[in-house]
Amino acid sequence: MTAVVGADEVRSAPRAGAPSSYTVTDLGVVPPLGGLYVKGAMGSVTKRPRAGVVLPRVVYRVADVDTTGVAAHLADYQGVVGEPVSDVLPAGFLHVLTFPLATAVMVRPDFPLGLLGMVHLRNTARVFRPVGVGDRLEIRAWAEHARAHRRGVQVDLVAEAFAGGVPVYRGVSTYLAKGFSVRDGASTPSEWAGPDRAASEGALPGREVPDGAMPDRAADGAGRPASRAPWVPPLPTARWRLPRSIGPEYGAVSGDRNPIHMSALGAKAFGFPRAIAHGMYTAARALAEVGPARRGDAYEWTAEFFKPVLLPGSVDVAIRYASDAGAGAAPAVGPEGGFVYDAWRAGRTTRHLTGTVTPL
Amino acid sequence: MASSIPTTREAVIIGGNRIPFARAGKKYVRTSNQDMFTAALEGLVARFGLQGELLGEVVGGAVLKNSRDFNLIRESVLGSSLAPATPAYDLQQACGTGLEAAIAVTNKIKLGQIESAVAGGTDTISDAPIAVGDKLRRALLQANHARSTGDRIKALLPVLGHPKWLAPETPDTGEPRTGLSMGEHQAITTAKWGITREAQDEIALRSHQNLYRAWEEGFFDDLVTPFRGLSRDDNLRGDTSAEKLAKLKPVFGRGLTGDDGAPLPATMTAGNSTPLTDGASAVLFGSRDWAEERNLPVLAKFVDAETAGVDFVHGHEGLLMAPAAAVPRLLARHGLTLEDIDFFEIHEAFAATVLTTLAAWEDEDYCRDELGLPGAFGKVDRSRLNVNGSSLAAGHPFAATGGRIVATAAKLVHAKAAETGKPARALISVCAAGGLGVTALVESA
């Protein structure tokens, strides 16, 4: 687990801004998510798996997002994920604010991958300085780094926020589109020209990538490399009892009203036995449980998703000092060195997610 | 280290009184915290002839309170035969409440701010508060703040759409930040330290045997006042045996996995875990002069106390392990070691809590890395441990436990000193929710 997170770190750490070949398209306002979903669902029909995925070289930008009006929305969000009520926007809320812009990129006709059935594999977010209610933000989003996954193509949706021209937030959401492939089984130089390309490509072939998708159960086990040792859960530090209502509740504060989260019926339509919790809800709750006091003003928050949490459900959680979790890279012993979290099905070994919260 | 303690006068323990502890839902049904604390207080007043007496202060609390229980201790004083001019206040430190109350009043006595005081606590599971959920509560508050009938109806409308909001919330022993019950937390600590089922059952058995013997010998005759048809703690099983305890099914710690991926055994049962209980206790303290002027007995000095907290939230330490950190600091301040202690009163939240505490003190790495000691803190002589029983047998009405233990410890050191002609010491250790530990040192006077 540590090695995986470590690889992610190396890959995303030094980059900032979109690749230089991209052009900026200004949108006046952040588009509403509901309409994007409809467009995404419709567009998915025509986006057939094929070889040679090429991403649109475009950056969507909204130059002035006024956060003065988000106070009530923020309080609702904080209540749902367990953050203390405050006027500072947690990284998860910044993800929620920028998510529609990233979605707008994904529903473009020239975005080659279908929105429906895309699996959120992992998420890395960094808050460089605190963003408060009332701050005016410029936000940007684009897609980059399409690359091979043994079950398709994975792609990074990057969102950045700036306040007064200074970067305050950067989020990288990695999605898997099953069935698609990229040329030569790796990212194409024209699409990906980040400074750490060599490192990332070097890290890719041997890298273990989780099975993110539950509906595709046939791939579980059979699709795993035989050498992979079974995951052993640590001793828990907490237990989450997640009610059925948490799907719609997080759906309401995040705008992500994907039917798989909203009702058992909606989930069944996509092959899940029951509604599933938003991965970002579980990650946001782990971030909240580390808490503002321990993560500090500037921090990195990562999440890697495995099997989804079926609702209602009990989840065993271990949120530990990185130094206690045996994370060799922990910069310091104790809470100052950041936190590692793991979540799995209560009393079992079915892994839901893992991640880190590290003060920067 | 000893020089860092400022010189103050002594605070002495004169005596204690409690009502028998009752298993939840039994003898003390329909009895409130205030009823129970008033009964314990009145018994104390009667025992020491304090009717009409103006005491310096009465301090205590309850962990589980109904909203009507604000000013609980003051209300109890007003309902007692103490002078109504006796001031009082509530405090709360989870299971450390009773002992913390003793620390608070003895500090005031030591500083000369008061001459006499009562400290104690009370708790009831049978009369525990039941609250409405946050969503219903918010709707009700909004309706309450509304100015017009229309607004009031608007505020209450969402309730109609969510009948689940009407479900009451009952208190439990779950930690707010982790969602794990105290038993589940202790089970994790128990597993980490590899404490066996047999060792826990042995602690439980001795607790029952010791408490039973103490009752039979009359030790509690001047420490307990019968209440509501109960004259002895009804959780006590004088006839329990290792065989009976061994038959009980584990209730905490199921589904834990070891480093090697193998399941860890669940070892904590209803027999080696403290049951939920109702009860109240009170202890009388004074300056030595105040006691002697009134010809009151002076059992012991309340010498000093130390509290600690641990970060259990992120699993670095066990929820109930804070006393392991507090005791070495307390003893160091007085230049004492575990060898110097005649009686160890370690609150048995769970048998495993006692055992993990003892194991921690014997562990060289733990004492060095976590407690900052040069090596292992030491070994507790088991024959000095909870010699007249503890919470596993007596029960544990959270805030009432401190008073039970302080009175027992004071009587024990008094008797030992009278027998040997030498000073005797007792160490009190109480673990508490929130990763807290409250410890105190009592010495024969």
Side-chain angles (χ1 to χ4, degrees):
Chain A
M1 189 263 330
T2 315
V4 172
V5 173
D8 216 32
E9 168 98 5
V10 169
R11 198 162 48 79
S12 63
R15 284 186 281 141
S20 53
S21 62
Y22 282 37
T23 56
V24 174
T25 300
D26 275 306
L27 306 183
V29 293
V30 178
L33 211 44
L36 293 175
Y37 275 139
V38 174
K39 201 173 164 192
M42 308 274 281
S44 296
V45 180
T46 56
K47 289 174 179 174
R48 299 265 170 220
R50 60 189 153 78
V53 162
V54 177
L55 297 175
R57 298 178 191 186
V58 62
V59 173
Y60 275 171
R61 178 174 78 159
V62 180
D64 187 17
V65 177
D66 184 358
T67 63
T68 306
V70 303
H73 179 198
L74 177 63
D76 287 344
Y77 172 90
Q78 287 162 334
V80 169
V81 304
E83 288 278 351
V85 170
S86 93
D87 286 340
V88 178
L89 283 50
F93 192 78
L94 288 162
H95 172 82
V96 165
L97 276 192
T98 55
F99 183 62
L101 205 58
T103 307
V105 173
M106 289 194 279
V107 304
R108 281 170 62 98
D110 61 351
F111 185 81
L113 312 171
L115 192 64
L116 278 187
M118 255 198 191
V119 177
H120 197 174
L121 293 180
R122 92 185 70 80
N123 209 82
T124 299
R126 289 177 163 217
V127 174
F128 304 109
R129 56 172 65 186
V131 180
V133 171
D135 284 353
R136 300 184 90 95
L137 302 176
E138 176 192 328
I139 62 177
R140 295 165 171 245
W142 65 92
E144 67 177 33
H145 200 192
R147 59 208 188 273
H149 180 280
R150 66 190 166 75
R151 293 169 62 201
V153 168
Q154 52 185 332
V155 61
D156 290 341
L157 269 294
V158 184
E160 289 183 343
F162 304 81
V166 178
V168 290
Y169 167 81
R170 176 184 168 88
V172 180
S173 301
T174 304
Y175 296 96
L176 163 68
K178 281 176 282 182
F180 291 79
S181 64
V182 286
R183 275 189 299 271
D184 308 324
S187 52
T188 53
S190 63
E191 284 305 312
W192 174 243
D196 60 338
R197 205 181 96 209
S200 100
E201 287 178 4
L204 265 173
R207 196 167 162 217
E208 291 186 348
V209 180
D211 292 306
M214 175 113 173
D216 197 4
R217 271 178 235 113
D220 296 343
R224 279 165 196 249
S227 62
R228 187 164 167 163
W231 179 72
V232 175
L235 288 171
T237 63
R239 178 168 293 168
W240 298 342
R241 288 174 186 84
L242 304 183
R244 207 171 280 117
S245 60
I246 201 66
E249 281 175 24
Y250 185 77
V253 296
S254 66
D256 181 356
R257 293 188 178 83
N258 189 324
I260 57 174
H261 305 304
M262 303 307 279
S263 70
L265 205 64
K268 279 187 181 125
F270 290 88
F272 295 97
R274 304 202 300 267
I276 64 171
H278 294 77
M280 288 306 283
Y281 163 76
T282 55
R285 181 150 174 189
L287 177 67
E289 291 191 8
V290 169
R294 306 228 183 266
R295 65 192 182 222
D297 282 347
Y299 54 94
E300 181 187 72
W301 165 51
T302 73
E304 185 171 7
F305 304 106
F306 303 94
K307 295 279 195 280
V309 177
L310 296 175
L311 297 175
S314 271
V315 177
D316 276 349
V317 185
I319 303 175
R320 299 174 289 165
Y321 305 159
S323 55
D324 280 352
V333 173
E336 291 77 19
F339 293 79
V340 171
Y341 64 89
D342 288 280
W344 63 100
R345 190 169 157 201
R348 308 293 178 87
T349 57
T350 309
R351 203 176 185 192
H352 294 311
L353 75 156
T354 186
T356 58
V357 179
T358 314
L360 293 176
Chain B
M1 291 282 285
S3 60
S4 68
I5 307 171
T7 309
T8 57
R9 66 175 182 172
E10 292 168 350
V12 302
I13 305 168
I14 294 162
N17 185 60
R18 67 180 176 94
I19 57 175
F21 292 169
R23 285 176 70 98
K26 298 214 163 167
K27 284 284 185 182
Y28 298 166
V29 164
R30 300 181 65 184
T31 309
S32 69
N33 275 330
Q34 192 178 319
D35 293 335
M36 290 193 296
F37 190 71
T38 306
L41 190 58
E42 277 299 83
L44 193 71
V45 167
R47 181 159 298 140
F48 296 104
L50 302 175
Q51 290 85 352
E53 189 84 37
L54 174 61
L55 295 185
E57 204 159 62
V58 179
V59 179
V63 175
L64 293 180
K65 274 182 164 184
N66 283 287
S67 51
R68 65 164 187 262
D69 285 341
F70 86 99
N71 247 349
L72 169 68
I73 303 302
R74 172 61 180 159
E75 290 299 329
S76 302
V77 168
L78 288 174
S80 77
S81 44
L82 288 172
T86 300
Y89 69 92
D90 288 19
L91 63 74
Q92 202 261 60
Q93 197 181 30
C95 302
T97 300
L99 187 54
E100 191 63 79
I103 297 168
V105 300
T106 53
N107 281 346
K108 280 199 180 181
I109 290 169
K110 287 175 188 176
L111 288 176
Q113 293 171 341
I114 53 176
E115 292 297 324
S116 62
V118 171
T122 174
D123 255 294
T124 170
I125 300 294
S126 304
D127 191 44
I130 288 184
V132 300
D134 280 344
K135 284 165 187 159
L136 176 58
R137 198 169 50 81
R138 275 183 209 130
L140 292 172
L141 284 170
Q142 203 183 336
N144 204 29
H145 296 150
R147 283 164 177 247
S148 72
T149 309
D151 285 351
R152 219 161 281 146
I153 291 169
K154 207 185 285 172
L156 292 173
L157 269 180
V159 180
L160 294 177
H162 298 86
K164 278 188 181 167
W165 290 7
L166 299 174
E169 288 189 350
T170 49
D172 56 31
T173 57
E175 277 294 324
R177 282 180 187 275
T178 66
L180 293 171
S181 72
M182 199 172 267
E184 286 160 337
H185 268 290
Q186 178 59 50
I188 292 162
T189 316
T190 305
K192 266 190 187 169
W193 285 95
I195 307 293
T196 65
R197 165 78 183 264
E198 291 69 32
Q200 294 172 55
D201 283 354
E202 192 194 332
I203 291 277
L205 181 62
R206 287 175 62 134
S207 188
H208 282 280
Q209 288 172 339
N210 286 342
L211 188 76
Y212 181 77
R213 194 205 63 248
W215 270 107
E216 290 295 305
E217 289 172 358
F219 182 82
F220 293 108
D221 289 356
D222 60 354
L223 291 178
V224 179
T225 309
F227 184 59
R228 300 209 63 192
L230 202 59
S231 52
R232 205 179 259 205
D233 309 310
D234 69 358
N235 182 61
L236 174 58
R237 299 281 176 275
D239 60 348
T240 195
S241 64
E243 292 73 34
K244 282 182 188 170
L245 287 165
K247 277 187 195 143
L248 298 169
K249 277 193 188 135
V251 288
F252 300 116
R254 285 174 298 196
L256 297 178
T257 310
D259 288 342
D260 56 359
L264 294 168
T267 56
M268 293 171 58
T269 68
N272 58 42
S273 307
T274 297
L276 296 173
T277 335
D278 306 333
S281 68
V283 179
L284 180 63
F285 298 88
S287 67
R288 196 181 277 273
D289 288 348
W290 186 85
E292 284 172 356
E293 279 162 18
R294 283 159 184 77
N295 281 321
L296 293 171
V298 172
L299 294 181
K301 296 180 284 189
F302 194 90
V303 178
D304 197 3
E306 179 81 15
T307 58
V310 291
D311 183 4
F312 68 97
V313 178
H314 301 112
H316 183 72
E317 186 49 276
L319 174 68
L320 302 179
M321 290 297 282
V327 167
R329 300 203 295 249
L330 175 63
L331 295 194
R333 195 151 60 223
H334 297 271
L336 299 173
T337 69
L338 290 174
E339 312 260 300
D340 301 312
I341 303 300
D342 300 279
F343 300 101
F344 293 90
E345 285 290 332
I346 304 182
H347 161 52
E348 299 163 337
F350 303 91
T353 313
V354 178
L355 291 166
T356 45
T357 304
L358 300 190
W361 287 338
E362 290 174 22
D363 190 290
E364 216 168 299
D365 291 342
Y366 179 89
C367 289
R368 199 178 45 237
D369 299 343
E370 301 299 325
L371 305 183
L373 300 174
F377 182 47
K379 212 171 160 75
V380 167
D381 179 347
R382 294 291 187 93
S383 69
R384 303 176 179 185
L385 174 65
N386 297 340
V387 296
N388 281 355
S390 186
S391 301
L392 285 167
H396 169 44
F398 312 123
T401 289
R404 173 186 70 74
I405 295 179
V406 170
T408 291
K411 243 191 109 168
L412 283 171
V413 294
H414 182 70
K416 172 100 177 176
E419 179 196 320
T420 62
K422 289 188 287 191
R425 293 186 194 94
L427 176 71
I428 300 172
S429 163
V430 179
C431 57
L436 294 168
V438 190
T439 65
L441 188 60
V442 167
E443 197 176 309
S444 55

